[in-house]
Amino acid sequence: MKDHYGREIDYLRISVTDRCDLRCIYCMPEEGIEKQGHMSILSFEEIEEIVRAAVSLGVGKLRVTGGEPLVRKGVEKLCAALAAIDGVKELAMTTNAVRLSAMAAKLKEAGVSRLNVSLDTLKPDRYRRITRCGSLDHALQGIRAAWEQGLPVKLNCVLLGGVNDDEIESFVELTRKRPIQVRFIELMPMGEDKAGGGAFLPCSTVLERVPALRPFRPLAPEKKGVARLYALPGAAGQVGLISPLSDCFCQSCDRLRLTPDGKLKPCLHSSEEISLRGLHGEALAAAIREAVQSKPLRHPGLSQEVRSPAGRDMNQIGG
Ligand code: SAM
Ligand code: SF4
């Protein structure tokens, strides 16, 4: 599907729950969220019907996210059903990895082909402080379990000035021997008061702190993604920089986002949502096409001072 600006839209991110077993300072309120009742969360059958319609219109790449997707019971069954849809070329998941050691084999068997794992620090005390309750050990065990299953893992690290920026070098160092991608993400002004989430740091800070990083061009370039890639000379892995604020990548945006309660968001940073609940057949397809056509050229001037007009917190969208 081409949007109004000629961009090919072939990627759907599916947030399967707004609930999470962590409370990251930049993402969730400390006290958690009001649980959406089962009636307001899409059932697996409803999600599958929506995905089938999107795939029939040209979507080939799927990502299951949340909240934390692994807290939704039976998520591996949903993954298996989605991976089996004719036309699905790739099924990925974004997770905090806390429950991954028990789930990695099931996800692999279900057809999940790769994972993005959020990891903002390599220090146990700091991990607990940033996530307000999590155990770094559990997340690391989860990452190891994914590797044992042969699942490629990208690490997502949100840059939090004054909180974790003294670990930039350590994260980059992880790429020297391991064929992993460590991605630094600029803090986006979502949710309530983000003061506790650290100060905004542009991704250029990473290049200042590690001047040895060089632009990386893969031998078989993937479709242009959101990350600008760098690598240390001779390193096995890469460093990705994701800069939604300092260097917006809207011109290559290829995605739609499905919220847990059945709304399709044409843009992460817009309150526009198209409700898909209760639609079937041609009406469902028409609503998906409408979302594609209403994708804006770019987000509305996001900055550190201006809160995102997304209308929801990140745990209700999925990143
Ligand atoms: N719970 C899963 C996880 O943490 O990986 C999936 C959902 S989480 C909302 C998806 C991604 O959004 C994570 O990589 C997280 O770091 C990122 N995220 C959440 N709030 C953010 C914010 N305010 N700015 C930048 N990234 C954010
Ligand atoms: Fe949960 Fe992910 Fe948000 Fe952290 S970033 S609170 S793990 S949804």
Side-chain angles (χ1 to χ4, degrees), residues 291-313:
V292 167
Q293 288 317 313
S294 58
K295 275 183 75 65
L297 182 56
R298 53 160 297 154
H299 62 61
L302 208 58
S303 80
Q304 303 144 48
E305 291 78 30
V306 182
R307 233 174 82 97
S308 165
R312 292 172 182 255
D313 283 355

Side-chain angles (χ1 to χ4, degrees), residues 203-224:
C203 273
S204 54
T205 312
V206 175
L207 301 177
E208 285 159 18
R209 300 272 175 90
V210 192
L213 283 170
R214 295 283 171 270
F216 175 82
R217 279 177 199 81
L219 285 174
E222 301 167 13
K223 204 173 97 173
K224 196 171 179 308

Side-chain angles (χ1 to χ4, degrees), residues 25-93:
I25 45 182
Y26 50 77
C27 178
M28 296 263 284
E30 185 162 13
E31 65 282 7
I33 43 149
E34 260 177 58
K35 288 182 188 164
Q36 298 207 16
H38 273 279
M39 289 307 286
S40 65
I41 293 280
L42 290 178
S43 67
F44 287 166
E45 292 73 24
E46 286 173 306
I47 293 175
E48 189 182 335
E49 185 180 4
I50 290 169
V51 172
R52 278 186 189 282
V55 170
S56 75
L57 293 170
V59 165
K61 208 170 125 191
L62 305 176
R63 176 173 298 276
V64 173
T65 175
E68 173 48 41
L70 298 183
V71 303
R72 178 121 185 219
K73 212 163 160 228
V75 70
E76 72 280 8
K77 296 193 188 87
L78 174 71
C79 291
L82 299 184
I85 295 174
D86 210 16
V88 170
K89 299 187 189 91
E90 182 185 288
L91 175 65
M93 178 180 278

Side-chain angles (χ1 to χ4, degrees), residues 18-278:
D18 58 346
R19 296 171 63 183
C20 187
D21 41 6
L22 302 182
R23 300 272 180 277
C24 299
I25 45 182
Y26 50 77
C27 178
M28 296 263 284
E30 185 162 13
E31 65 282 7
I33 43 149
E34 260 177 58
K35 288 182 188 164
Q36 298 207 16
H38 273 279
M39 289 307 286
S40 65
I41 293 280
L42 290 178
S43 67
F44 287 166
E45 292 73 24
E46 286 173 306
I47 293 175
E48 189 182 335
E49 185 180 4
I50 290 169
V51 172
R52 278 186 189 282
V55 170
S56 75
L57 293 170
V59 165
K61 208 170 125 191
L62 305 176
R63 176 173 298 276
V64 173
T65 175
E68 173 48 41
L70 298 183
V71 303
R72 178 121 185 219
K73 212 163 160 228
V75 70
E76 72 280 8
K77 296 193 188 87
L78 174 71
C79 291
L82 299 184
I85 295 174
D86 210 16
V88 170
K89 299 187 189 91
E90 182 185 288
L91 175 65
M93 178 180 278
T94 302
T95 171
N96 62 31
V98 166
R99 298 175 185 221
L100 190 54
S101 55
M103 290 293 293
K106 289 182 193 168
L107 296 178
K108 169 85 181 198
E109 199 187 325
V112 172
S113 59
R114 52 194 194 85
L115 300 169
N116 286 7
V117 171
S118 298
L119 195 70
D120 301 323
T121 175
L122 301 168
K123 300 184 179 191
D125 291 358
R126 192 174 279 178
Y127 186 86
R128 186 163 290 277
R129 212 174 332 129
I130 294 175
T131 62
R132 292 200 185 103
C133 55
S135 146
L136 176 64
D137 240 16
H138 292 164
L140 295 180
Q141 282 163 20
I143 293 169
R144 273 186 223 110
W147 280 334
E148 277 160 21
Q149 292 300 322
L151 283 168
V153 173
K154 290 180 184 172
L155 296 182
N156 284 347
C157 173
V158 177
L159 280 173
L160 303 165
V163 177
N164 67 355
D165 56 311
D166 58 343
E167 292 187 74
I168 290 175
E169 290 88 341
S170 312
F171 271 106
V172 172
E173 204 49 42
L174 292 179
T175 66
R176 205 181 276 282
K177 296 218 171 90
R178 283 198 176 272
I180 57 167
Q181 201 181 101
V182 171
R183 293 139 47 104
F184 293 99
I185 305 176
E186 286 178 355
L187 179 65
M188 290 182 260
M190 315 273 294
E192 303 159 25
D193 174 26
K194 289 292 156 271
F200 171 84
L201 278 184
C203 273
S204 54
T205 312
V206 175
L207 301 177
E208 285 159 18
R209 300 272 175 90
V210 192
L213 283 170
R214 295 283 171 270
F216 175 82
R217 279 177 199 81
L219 285 174
E222 301 167 13
K223 204 173 97 173
K224 196 171 179 308
V226 296
R228 276 182 294 125
L229 294 184
Y230 293 82
L232 291 171
Q238 297 97 41
V239 171
L241 302 184
I242 303 182
S243 319
L245 275 79
S246 69
D247 183 15
C248 114
F249 39 78
C250 303
Q251 70 282 356
S252 54
C253 185
D254 58 0
R255 60 200 59 192
L256 293 170
R257 292 175 168 86
L258 179 63
T259 67
D261 54 344
K263 309 279 176 17
L264 204 52
K265 283 186 85 69
C267 171
L268 168 60
H269 296 296
S270 158
S271 60
E272 185 180 356
E273 298 181 344
I274 291 158
S275 181
L276 301 184
R277 182 156 244 163

